[in-house]
Amino acid sequence: PSSPAAALPALLLVFPQCPRIPYSSTRNFSVPYTLPSFDAGGPVQNVAVFADPATVFVAVRNRILVAGPELRLRSVLITGPTGSAECEICRLCPAAAGGPGSEDVDNILLLLDPQEPWLYSCGTARHGLCYQHQLEVRGSEVTIVATHCLYSATGNSPASCPDCVASPLGTSGTVVADHYSSFFYLGSSVNSSVAARYSPQSVSVRRLKGTLDGFADTFQWLTVLPPYRDAYPIHYVHSFTDGEHVYFLTVQPECPGSASYHTRLARLSTSEHDLRRYRELVLDCRFESKRRRRSAEEDTERDVAYNVLQAAHATRPGERLARDLGIDSSEMVLFGAFAESQPESPAPQDNSAVCAFPLRLLNQAIEEGMDKVLGLALRYPHCARLQVNLSAPVTDTSCWDQPTLVPATSHKVDLFNGRLAGILLTSIFVSVLENVTVAHLGTAQGRILQVGAPPSTPPPRALLPLAPLSPRSPRSA
Ligand SMILES: *[C@@H]1O[C@H](CO)[C@@H](O)[C@H](O)[C@H]1NC(C)=O
Ligand SMILES: *[C@@H]1O[C@H](CO)[C@@H](O)[C@H](O)[C@H]1NC(C)=O
């Protein structure tokens, strides 16, 4: 069964708006909808959407499926198991890429190049190497015409491996074009054994070589310090780029040794590749009940911190929501689908919220927080130094030129005022339809909700119950 939550962007490409139904039916979960679909044959691991002509790439274990409008399946590229006769692209990699005879390939990353008609896929097998797939538009169809294995026979070793991109524990990434080169910004979960051999590093910036046999030998990274690698797991939920920055969203313990988890925004500069200006900020999404508790019966109303991000999407809001947020509708907003976690665990409960963070205000919080760090430098000598190793030497000890957790919290209140109680959101995609900001929310039960934001203005447009119910997707779209 494919995961409808992971397939959200694909669904919206072919079916941007629900059919009109009587308002009285919008809360009837038994209304059937006929939607274009195909069976991916396994859990969807990633989705990438090529805009024109409309094409959806869907990654599952050992396969990349290519579908056109109406989700008609056009072709299938076999990406694994390694060493199998049917995996033709596996033979493009040098023998040095090694790995045991036959490994399944989970396509952890599926990314389109921002400049060229290229698709990248990175798998868990063979130390997490990537392929570049060149696309060609023929009439209304997009086809994969050539594939390169992004791994060089020399230049990679267990101690330093520029071509080892995907971590078996999870990786999120964004490709940015700069001076005719493609730079990969990557965030990977590591533990002590993954970090010890062919490490993908926690956060890294790598330049794709023009020769298309891997990444430049010198790449910049930072990685959690050895004592914390097993006790301080960092889960990279989402990444995106806007203007001069690349952002990662993570769920991690509040500090090393803590059993409480929270969500952070990490910011990297696209003009400074050595990560000294790497900054982190805590994102706080909560519901604050206005009613005072007068009796035990009203005890259900409580303040909730939705501490673990499940999925996110950064985009421009509609005019009404922009006004509510006090920003211009041309500004980017980070929409996060958050959940309350189980006690002392990053595992989510069925209790969700959606918070909207204007990006300009997040950047402002980082700059103001840094001014505070610098102002306090004397009394606060270790700055808010992160427990990381950095590939570039740190020479300036003023805190400005080293990775820093900014001592500020960006605080937002649930857009839906606690009305997503009992629901676990697994994906979010926000678009503007007729000037209204519409959040398309995927749930753990396999439903998709389309809701106007803020929800007070337009009524919920429709609910799309997708049957049969599917298990929760392991990754958000
Ligand atoms: C909900 O929709 C189904 C299918 O259209 C219909 O059979 C059923 O009567 C509706 N239920 C309500 C309460 O309107
Ligand atoms: C680290 O993760 C890998 C991959 O999931 C796993 O095989 C290994 O046992 C883990 N190591 C530790 C020390 O937990």
Side-chain angles (χ1 to χ4, degrees):
S2 67
S3 155
L8 254 183
L11 173 78
L12 294 167
L13 177 80
V14 295
F15 197 78
Q17 203 164 347
C18 297
R20 293 274 169 198
I21 53 171
Y23 182 65
S24 58
S25 298
T26 56
R27 279 158 204 280
N28 179 349
F29 297 111
S30 306
V31 174
Y33 294 88
T34 324
L35 301 173
S37 69
F38 67 84
D39 191 332
V44 171
Q45 296 171 332
N46 263 303
V47 175
V49 177
F50 190 88
D52 188 23
T55 305
V56 186
F57 298 93
V58 178
V60 295
R61 174 173 284 184
N62 297 329
R63 303 267 185 286
I64 295 173
L65 315 173
V66 187
E70 296 295 305
L71 284 187
R72 262 193 300 276
L73 191 58
R74 288 232 163 102
S75 60
V76 177
L77 179 74
I78 295 172
T79 62
T82 60
S84 67
E86 47 172 13
C87 180
E88 287 172 18
I89 67 167
C90 295
R91 292 197 281 277
L92 299 172
C93 299
S102 182
E103 273 182 278
D104 280 326
V105 176
D106 288 321
N107 292 297
I108 293 244
L109 284 176
L110 190 67
L111 300 167
L112 285 159
D113 192 276
Q115 220 155 38
E116 305 288 341
W118 296 345
L119 175 75
Y120 305 100
S121 66
C122 310
T124 44
R126 293 170 157 182
H127 317 308
L129 59 71
C130 299
Y131 292 97
Q132 179 235 38
H133 311 282
Q134 298 187 348
L135 309 175
E136 198 173 278
V137 178
R138 290 178 183 154
S140 65
E141 273 203 49
V142 176
T143 44
I144 295 172
V145 289
T147 292
H148 290 93
C149 177
L150 301 180
Y151 198 95
S152 79
T154 57
N156 293 302
S157 71
S160 173
C161 186
D163 299 337
C164 299
V165 169
S167 165
L169 297 170
T171 295
S172 179
T174 294
V175 186
V176 174
D178 186 16
H179 296 98
Y180 305 105
S181 290
S182 296
F183 283 85
F184 281 51
Y185 287 75
L186 301 155
S188 289
S189 306
V190 297
N191 63 15
S192 56
S193 29
V194 168
R197 286 176 52 80
Y198 298 99
S199 177
Q201 311 295 352
S202 297
V203 174
S204 61
V205 183
R206 305 174 202 226
R207 181 176 60 79
L208 182 64
K209 288 192 282 191
T211 46
L212 295 180
D213 61 345
F215 295 86
D217 291 347
T218 50
F219 70 108
Q220 305 294 334
W221 50 263
L222 59 81
T223 294
V224 175
L225 289 175
Y228 303 110
R229 283 176 189 162
D230 292 321
Y232 191 57
I234 300 175
H235 173 50
Y236 291 84
V237 180
H238 184 68
S239 79
F240 63 99
T241 182
D242 182 56
E244 302 285 286
H245 296 111
V246 172
Y247 301 86
F248 286 98
L249 293 156
T250 66
V251 169
Q252 58 189 93
E254 289 182 3
C255 54
S258 165
S260 303
Y261 285 76
H262 66 187
T263 299
R264 289 189 193 177
L265 175 88
R267 190 184 80 176
L268 287 76
S269 160
T270 52
S271 56
E272 185 247 22
H273 292 149
D274 61 13
L275 299 174
R276 288 195 185 102
R277 299 274 166 100
Y278 173 93
R279 304 287 182 251
E280 291 184 1
L281 182 74
V282 174
L283 294 184
D284 189 9
C285 173
R286 53 181 61 232
F287 170 60
E288 284 165 348
S289 68
K290 300 212 172 59
R291 232 180 293 162
R292 297 239 71 112
R293 289 174 202 159
R294 276 162 303 202
S295 68
E297 287 95 317
E298 286 179 61
D299 219 18
T300 50
E301 284 275 299
R302 60 186 179 113
D303 292 356
V304 184
Y306 301 93
N307 52 328
V308 289
L309 183 75
Q310 301 299 296
H313 182 209
T315 188
R316 293 185 170 78
E319 270 165 32
R320 168 71 201 258
L321 181 64
R323 241 190 346 260
D324 284 8
L325 293 171
I327 60 165
D328 193 87
S329 60
S330 63
E331 292 186 44
M332 290 288 271
V333 174
L334 170 64
F335 293 91
F338 290 80
E340 182 183 13
S341 76
Q342 289 168 22
E344 316 229 309
S345 156
Q349 299 184 37
D350 289 348
N351 193 16
S352 300
V354 175
C355 281
F357 300 88
L359 218 47
R360 178 171 54 82
L361 302 185
L362 292 177
N363 286 321
Q364 195 177 319
I366 291 175
E367 308 315 341
E368 289 173 2
M370 281 310 292
D371 288 346
K372 207 155 66 182
V373 167
L374 295 175
L376 292 176
L378 275 183
R379 277 188 293 130
Y380 191 38
H382 297 297
C383 323
R385 202 170 296 161
L386 293 166
Q387 300 300 322
V388 294
N389 267 335
L390 186 66
S391 54
V394 172
T395 45
D396 175 358
T397 52
S398 75
C399 302
W400 190 253
D401 266 340
Q402 51 187 295
T404 304
L405 168 63
V406 177
T409 295
S410 197
H411 173 143
K412 280 288 160 193
V413 172
D414 178 20
L415 281 180
F416 295 93
N417 286 321
R419 282 197 274 164
L420 298 173
I423 293 177
L424 174 58
L425 297 180
T426 55
S427 60
I428 182 166
F429 189 89
V430 178
S431 58
V432 176
L433 298 173
E434 298 158 12
N435 262 336
V436 176
T437 313
V438 180
H440 312 264
L441 307 167
T443 77
Q445 287 94 41
R447 292 180 184 272
I448 293 175
L449 290 76
Q450 288 187 313
V451 192
S456 54
T457 24
R461 295 180 77 88
L463 295 162
L464 298 186
L466 294 188
L469 299 185
S470 300
R472 159 154 203 268
S473 112
R475 288 177 56 84
S476 51

